[in-house]
Structure formats: C-alpha cells, structure tokens
Amino acid sequence: MSYVGPDFDPPQPRRPRRRPLTVAVAALVPGALLGWLVYEAVGGSGGDASEAVGTPSFSSSAPASPTAASTSAPKSTDDEKPSPTPSTSAPAASGPLKGKVVVIDPGHNPSNFQHTAEINKKVNIGTNWKECDTTGTSTNSGYTEAKFTLDVAHRLRTLLEKQGATVKLTQDGDRTYGPCVDERARIGNKAHADAVVSIHADGAGAGQRGFHVILPGSVHAGAADTRPIVASSADLGERIAGNFVRVTGSAPSNYVGDGTGLVTRKDLGGLNLSTVPKVFIECGNMRDTKDAAQLTSGAWRQKAAQGISEGIVSFLRG
C-alpha cells in the first residue's frame, strides 16, 4: 500500500522497490495508518526520519584494518549529565518490564566531526567492511542528528525505566567519538538485550518526508548471522512503526518502504552483527523543512520517544 499524507508534497521518485513484507506488516501498519488519518482529521501534524537512504550512515568502502574506539569522556551537550558508556539504569523494583533489558543506540556522536580520521577507519561487518561511524546529518539551521538522537534516547530511557526495564545506552555523549558500528552491536549482544533500538534521523532530499523503521535482512556471512533474529526483529519493528504513527501522528516515509514505514536492509553493521532483536528507526528527514520543524520540537521528540517506547513495551509483553 502506498500512502501520501494530506500535508505532504507529491512523493519524490522512489528508490528500488524493497522485498515484500510479511503478512503481519500488512495487518498492523494499515491499522496504524487508519489511526493516522483520524488523527489528521482532528488537527494532527505529519512526518519525521534520519540516516539517509540514498547515502546510508554506514557507507561502503574498500577493506582496511579495523580500529577500536576511544573511551575518553568529554562533556555532553545534551540536557542530561552523561554517565560511563554503556550508560545503564538501575534495575527497577517493579513494573511490567521488570527483568527485561533494553539497549538504546543513539546514532552517531556529537564529537564525531572532530575525529574524522578515526571514524573513517574500517570495521568488519561480516558481509564486507564499513566506516567505523559517520558524523550524521543536520537540519538546514544546524541542529545535528547526534544531538537529536541523544535527546530522544534520554526521553525513551526515562519512559522504559518507569515500566521497570533495565536500560543501557551505547553512548551518552561521553566518548570522543563512536562507538564504531561493530561495537554498537556488541554492546547489545553482551547485554543479552531483549530489544535494541538504534535511533536516527534521515538526510534525504527536500520534499521527502516521514519516518521509517529499518529491519535486518537475512544475512549469513563471516561474523554476521542474522537468521535467528530476523523474525523477532520484524515483530519489534512492526510494533514500533504502528505505535509511532498512532502517538506522533507522523506518516510513513513517502520515499522508501512503499508507504508501510518498513524497510529491510543488509548493509548496516549495527544490524548485521546483532544476535538479539534489533531495528533502526529514522524518525524523520532533517533536510525537509516540515519534518525539521518537528524534529527540533521538544514536545514532538517526547511523542517520538513515547511511540517508540510503546512499541517496545508491546513487543516485550507479547
């Protein structure tokens, strides 16, 4: 099903069509879109996302030697005080998610731009080699993706802790750069996380709007074997997409995903190397002025965190 929200410009030319989605996607997301239409009818607003699909955050390159990330700790520019990486909440005494571990992966790092040599070094993602990390994108006014992802991560952590979950962050603005994409995956694996969500915002062209959730494709090469987590990650992603529509009023991307808000990829190290259920969410397109107005709004970022949280809770409670 394709979809264009009533306040969207005509869709831009699509990327090549992705592989067919599961029956579960067809059942869940259209219902969420119906909720979106009701929301718009009573005055809601539309769409948001991050890691550019045309130029993914983890771009391909020729093989080279992997490099370990530094662990020194500068001050965070975000509202919350950073803690050692990975940042971990104290287990809650009670709540429906007591005993569950959630890893939140805020995409990029506010200081990556100061360490381009380090983040351009390659790490092995099983299928090939990729840059350690990238700087991420930003709005036309200079609000960075790294700052956005940390803010949403902090809000999401608070919401999940209230549900009783133990929450870990892959980084909290407390490192000089990174972590690299392979280390981000290892953090979730080592924590034996019940769910991992990597937060991003896209850098696509103007007029390309909306969010999308990236699911791991079936990969079996080198150190990568996503086959055991493909189904569970799809379930996690579908639940997040449906709740994100409902809570934020945002529409699914009008430039990837054929209107479902779901995209499957095999080129992202953070997904390829995961051994636990994991998805990425591109919350909106920072390079589109309408999406950027939402991404720069604290009130909207709270809705984004709420939508992601409710999707995670739904997944973990079955």
Side-chain angles (χ1 to χ4, degrees), residues 36-233:
W36 183 88
L37 292 173
V38 173
Y39 181 94
E40 284 291 318
V42 296
S45 59
D48 296 35
S50 152
E51 182 187 3
V53 173
T55 54
S57 288
F58 312 127
S59 58
S60 179
S61 186
S65 299
T67 299
S70 169
T71 56
S72 57
K75 293 290 184 179
S76 170
T77 57
D78 206 72
D79 294 336
E80 297 192 22
K81 185 177 180 180
S83 53
T85 299
S87 175
T88 307
S89 64
S94 62
L97 297 187
K98 180 175 172 57
K100 300 294 186 181
V101 176
V102 178
V103 171
I104 305 171
D105 179 29
H108 313 290
N109 181 311
S111 299
N112 273 357
F113 75 97
Q114 297 175 322
H115 299 275
T116 55
E118 291 87 347
I119 67 172
N120 283 330
K121 290 182 180 179
K122 307 300 188 298
V123 297
N124 193 311
I125 66 166
T127 54
N128 62 332
W129 295 72
K130 290 288 185 74
E131 282 79 6
C132 161
D133 201 359
T134 69
T135 59
T137 187
S138 67
T139 65
N140 293 334
S141 62
Y143 180 66
T144 66
E145 180 183 0
K147 190 169 184 179
F148 168 82
T149 64
L150 272 178
D151 182 81
V152 174
H154 291 158
R155 295 170 189 269
L156 178 56
R157 176 176 61 188
T158 298
L159 292 168
L160 291 171
E161 286 176 346
K162 288 179 179 178
Q163 295 287 322
T166 297
V167 181
K168 300 184 179 184
L169 269 61
T170 58
Q171 59 95 8
D172 202 359
D174 50 357
R175 302 173 59 124
T176 54
Y177 65 89
C180 296
V181 295
D182 58 338
E183 184 182 353
R184 289 174 186 267
R186 286 197 300 270
I187 290 169
N189 298 345
K190 185 176 180 180
H192 302 290
D194 296 287
V196 183
V197 178
S198 188
I199 301 170
H200 288 265
D202 213 347
Q208 296 179 323
R209 298 193 59 197
F211 79 93
H212 63 278
V213 177
I214 303 175
L215 314 176
S218 182
V219 173
H220 185 213
D225 186 0
T226 62
R227 293 173 298 175
I229 66 162
V230 166
S232 56
S233 296

